[in-house]
């Protein structure tokens, strides 16, 4: 099987059992990886590494990955207690618990800075890069599947490169990626991406025979998140967004085919894509930090001719459709490395319409997207910031309440800021839409409370705003009360006044 | 006098008294301007406009400007009560008071978004652009002095363009500017700036005979901020920074001539430049949101061959030196429009070393640079964010205490976030330097408290961190106490425990 996938025959002798590959890891090493097909990743290697940890052969490793990793990598290592430090966003519950109890050190690094750090060794040197691959070319270059993220940068930075070839990934996947690797300043060049359909790099991750340390084989089927039905709230938010975009087009603020959609993934994003697929909009483009089910729906409806992202994260069903029609999809889908997909200049130049999920927003428009109650990490900031800050239109979406109505997603002051008021143009909840561009903080507050907050919380928020306003200031606050919603929640189980 | 400066003779008939030009303004209009020579600006026009306001001829105008405006524009209009809305950062005390008492609506828009808004009319249409100029070319294009900022975008957007020619600015100033105007997406092109010394635009602001509505003459001397002696704290911080940079070079993280300095202006920046001027560093480059006295010191010391910024803000003494040797300085100083100077892609590609002043930082590295006590606007966020977020190295500097030691610049949680933990690499106070790259929040907190906080406040901060840590979380906080430093300050006049 592997002989077909490893076109460089010298490399066949580097094929080893996962245990051997995992044996290359020494205590304290920094290991980079990513879900080749998000969130799967090279699980044979990490199972073997976890086994070594269980046996006490290895005490401590650090994982670097901007990509969401499954419980079979992050979770497994967290469970064994071998994971000391984790750079990048997370997805798995076990590692989340480890981080939120202080057992695992984490820094949810911004995606756009990660490759810079890899190149400059600012946060240390990456020792090992472990990559799930489709195969290897004649020249010894790695053929990545549909998740590329910062893998090319990892390979460049690491001394030990381990390629895990997964036989369940169709070989026809080759060619979906466009690998462009930037240099660090002062040698960084202008990234020559002009149109979304431009291919400016190579279809493989540059490596070469000598760079590859070991090759591991895998027959593990790829993992995919379950499909959740689109919620009523998501449908309402999608409707609100489309009406808003229609008005923007009407006012000449964007062209009739909109601007590249940075839609991300999730329930609301899928709802938006579904609605766009049935709408009057044509010739849409996607330039996004991730591609989910919804984008494929858009493509299948003939509404989108080009979609690019550093990774694809889709359900089993969509993955199957993708694999069955891969040659067709390759004409419309390009998987890019983060040096391109998360470049602030490109995001700004293309003028992306950016959809981001919020955990909560405050009355002045600051957004918390990462830390519950200001302290518990959910996933991490990832690429949300560079898109929100540099997009043409930065939109945050959230249900107006959570926990059966006991938590308001609009609060006087968010307990953690990921996106400041200056990166937030529009806020949408199922209650309504607040376009806050160009407004003063107090004007924003009035609009966000009136349009986005749940009616149960409007009187409380209005009362806060009015009393704070009387004390003056450009962005009035009563610091003693700014977190009163959280205090009440802790005391009574609800942010509502009893 | 004007005949020499207005090379298009048809335009001589558009020369009018300031009162006539100010008469073009109607109630509710949006007026754009900027300090041609920061912070001076077209004061004859605004004096006449203020006079109209005093007479009750005009009730309400809005000012758009990313540049710091003097009290003879912002202050004067705020005093008359005619100023309803102000977009952009501020400098003057009277307008600050108006904003902080809720009388003037303000949105301290990010510089890098301003020209996008001007082009798309997202925040309304700019009606009038008033520009201080050196002169006008044969073709009717405007020759700007050494403050360019978003003036080209204003001229493009406004229907009424008023040029105020200031006879006190040397005509030799012509040629210092490089005007590049971007288009909005989907028509935005790659900005072809490769080297800092590249000139990619025109030496004038494109206008043309028909575009100019009125021309006003001014003989008002340019205003310059007073020179403040470099404080002892600034000297210490500059020393710390240089030692740090030497170590970065030694470790191969940056080249021996460093990377382009985005130094901004102010006491610490000047201290750093002074120290660099006497240091072993050679062939330095400056790519900065502003150029102050210190950069000229660096140039005069032969340490810097190219310095670019959208504006120059210097003392009287340096301005005189600049004007006396203008042909020489023109070889090393380029004034750029904000579409270039504040482009996130260029800042990232060049790899700027970014110095920003902080009002306060918190133990986890979030920075407040705009709002005292979370609510009172000082200047605004300006271009600080785009530089901090995209620089190769983002450094924040502040004295560890203020108000005679009664205010700590390191607090448990900042009451306003302008720059999140992810945009902050290094924090420097006169107490020491904390390099927080790649650290977890709790590690950062330990380092910031130990290295940067004033000894008077370390026990309080450590106590907070320890108690919060016991309650768990990735970024531990006790929300009821997060703002206790401010509460104590309000109650007792000091953040110290009595």
């Amino acid at each position: 099987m592997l002989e077909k996938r490893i076109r460089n025959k010298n490399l066949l002798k580097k094929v080893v059992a996962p245990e051997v590959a995992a044996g290359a890891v020494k205590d304290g090493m920094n290991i980079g990886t990513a879900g080749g097909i998000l969130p799967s990743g090279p699980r044979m290697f990490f199972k073997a590494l976890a086994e070594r940890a269980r046996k006490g052969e290895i005490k401590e490793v650090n994982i670097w990955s901007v990509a969401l990793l499954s419980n079979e990598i992050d979770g497994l290592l967290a469970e064994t207690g071998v994971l000391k430090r984790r750079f990048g966003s997370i997805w798995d519950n076990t590692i989340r618990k480890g981080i939120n109890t202080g057992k695992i050190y984490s820094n949810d690094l911004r995606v756009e800075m990660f490759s810079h750090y890899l190149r400059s060794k600012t946060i240390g040197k990456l020792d090992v890069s472990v990559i799930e691959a489709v195969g290897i070319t004649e020249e010894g270059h790695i053929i990545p599947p549909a998740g590329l993220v910062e893998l090319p940068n990892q390979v460049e930075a690491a001394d030990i490169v381990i390629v895990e070839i997964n036989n369940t990934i169709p070989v026809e996947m080759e060619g979906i990626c466009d690998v462009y690797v930037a240099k660090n300043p002062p040698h960084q060049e202008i990234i020559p991406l002009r149109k979304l359909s431009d291919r400016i790099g190579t279809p493989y991750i540059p490596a070469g025979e000598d760079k590859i340390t070991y090759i591991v084989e895998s027959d593990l089927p790829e993992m995919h998140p379950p499909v959740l039905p689109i919620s009523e709230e998501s449908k309402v938010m999608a409707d609100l967004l489309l009406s808003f975009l229609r008005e923007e087009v009407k006012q000449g603020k964007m062209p009739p085919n909109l601007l590249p959609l940075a839609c991300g993934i999730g329930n609301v994003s899928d709802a938006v894509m579904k609605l766009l697929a049935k709408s009057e909009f044509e010739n849409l483009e996607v330039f996004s930090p991730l591609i989910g089910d919804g984008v494929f729906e858009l493509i299948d409806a003939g509404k989108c001719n080009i979609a690019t992202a550093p990774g694809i994260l889709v359900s089993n069903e969509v993955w199957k459709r993708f694999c069955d029609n891969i040659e067709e999809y390759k004409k419309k889908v390009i998987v890019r490395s983060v040096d391109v997909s998360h470049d602030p200049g490109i995001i700004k130049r293309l003028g992306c319409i950016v959809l981001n999920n919020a955990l909560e927003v405050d009355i002045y428009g600051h957004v918390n997207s990462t830390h519950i109650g200001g302290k518990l990490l959910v996933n991490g900031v990832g690429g949300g910031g560079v898109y929100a800050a540099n997009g043409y239109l930065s939109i945050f979406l959230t249900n107006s309440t959570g926990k059966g109505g006991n938590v308001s997603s609009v609060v006087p002051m968010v307990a953690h800021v990921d996106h400041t008021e200056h990166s937030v143009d529009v806020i949408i909840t199922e209650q309504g839409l607040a376009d806050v561009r160009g407004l003063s903080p107090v004007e924003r507050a009035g609009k966000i409370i009136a349009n986005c907050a749940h009616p149960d919380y409007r009187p409380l928020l209005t009362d806060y705003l009015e009393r704070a306003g009387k004390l003056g200031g450009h962005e009035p606050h009563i610091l003693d009360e700014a977190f009163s919603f959280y205090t009440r929640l802790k005391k009574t189980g609800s942010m509502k006044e009893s």
Side-chain angles (χ1 to χ4, degrees), chain A residues 124-296:
Chain A
K125 176 173 168 36
L126 188 74
D127 301 296
V128 187
S129 174
V130 194
I131 296 192
E132 189 176 44
V134 176
I136 294 174
T137 70
E138 290 78 358
E139 301 80 9
H141 301 314
I142 302 163
I143 305 166
L148 193 53
V149 286
E150 85 285 20
L151 289 173
N153 310 95
Q154 287 186 13
V155 171
E156 189 184 61
D159 291 331
I160 301 171
V161 173
I162 292 161
V163 181
E164 181 167 316
I165 294 179
N166 190 318
N167 293 317
T168 75
I169 307 173
V171 291
E172 295 78 15
M173 194 74 74
E174 183 173 357
I176 195 142
C177 288
D178 184 49
V179 180
Y180 178 92
V181 183
K183 293 190 180 75
N184 258 13
H187 307 292
Q188 196 161 118
E189 283 163 18
I190 290 176
I191 301 175
L193 188 85
R194 285 182 171 78
K195 297 191 310 295
L196 274 195
S197 54
D198 286 351
R199 285 182 175 269
I200 59 172
T202 56
Y204 51 77
I205 296 174
E209 217 178 293
D210 297 338
K211 183 89 192 177
I212 295 170
T213 312
Y214 289 123
I215 299 168
V216 170
E217 187 172 16
S218 169
D219 292 302
L220 294 174
E222 297 299 326
M223 303 160 67
H224 300 282
V227 188
L228 298 175
I230 305 285
S231 71
E232 284 310 309
E233 288 86 353
S234 294
K235 282 182 197 164
V236 173
M237 288 189 256
D239 259 330
L240 287 165
L241 176 61
L242 254 64
S243 301
F244 174 77
L245 292 176
R246 281 188 188 104
E247 191 54 36
E248 289 283 292
V249 171
K250 210 169 135 189
Q251 291 179 15
K253 288 180 192 161
M254 53 178 69
N257 70 330
L258 304 180
L259 287 162
L261 298 160
C263 48
I265 53 162
N267 206 271
V268 195
S269 167
D270 279 351
V272 172
M273 296 300 123
K274 266 181 195 297
L275 201 59
L276 278 171
K278 287 182 209 143
S279 73
E280 76 279 17
F281 290 107
E282 302 275 352
N283 300 312
L284 297 168
E285 297 186 331
V286 171
F287 186 86
S288 182
L290 269 179
I291 290 179
D293 280 11
V295 171
F296 282 91

Side-chain angles (χ1 to χ4, degrees), chain A residues 16-26 31 44-52 57-58 162 214 216:
Chain A
V16 297
E19 295 70 34
V20 177
V25 173
K26 292 194 178 66
I31 308 173
M44 293 302 288
F45 172 87
F46 282 102
K47 276 178 208 296
L49 184 65
E51 193 49 36
R52 285 193 65 204
E57 290 172 22
I58 194 140
I162 292 161
Y214 289 123
V216 170

Side-chain angles (χ1 to χ4, degrees), chain A residues 233-385:
Chain A
E233 288 86 353
S234 294
K235 282 182 197 164
V236 173
M237 288 189 256
D239 259 330
L240 287 165
L241 176 61
L242 254 64
S243 301
F244 174 77
L245 292 176
R246 281 188 188 104
E247 191 54 36
E248 289 283 292
V249 171
K250 210 169 135 189
Q251 291 179 15
K253 288 180 192 161
M254 53 178 69
N257 70 330
L258 304 180
L259 287 162
L261 298 160
C263 48
I265 53 162
N267 206 271
V268 195
S269 167
D270 279 351
V272 172
M273 296 300 123
K274 266 181 195 297
L275 201 59
L276 278 171
K278 287 182 209 143
S279 73
E280 76 279 17
F281 290 107
E282 302 275 352
N283 300 312
L284 297 168
E285 297 186 331
V286 171
F287 186 86
S288 182
L290 269 179
I291 290 179
D293 280 11
V295 171
F296 282 91
E297 193 142 345
L298 209 58
I299 292 173
D300 293 345
K303 295 286 192 180
C304 171
N305 291 322
I306 183 74
T308 99
I312 293 175
L313 182 61
V314 291
S315 65
N316 248 317
E317 186 202 322
V318 171
W319 181 248
K320 203 174 165 305
R321 205 159 82 218
F322 179 54
C323 290
D324 289 347
N325 300 281
I326 198 155
E327 293 304 335
E328 278 310 301
Y329 282 118
K330 269 200 271 187
K331 294 175 193 161
K332 296 185 175 177
V333 177
I334 301 176
V335 175
R336 300 193 181 279
S337 37
V338 292
D339 281 341
V340 177
S341 67
H342 284 69
D343 180 74
I346 293 177
I347 294 165
K348 186 156 195 277
R349 177 153 47 79
L350 294 173
C352 294
I353 298 174
V354 180
L355 309 189
N356 264 311
N357 297 314
L359 278 181
E360 56 179 6
V361 301
D362 69 26
I363 54 173
Y364 298 120
H366 303 268
V367 172
N368 176 8
S369 62
T370 58
H371 285 76
I372 292 174
K375 66 181 194 178
L376 300 172
L377 183 68
V378 182
N379 301 120
V381 73

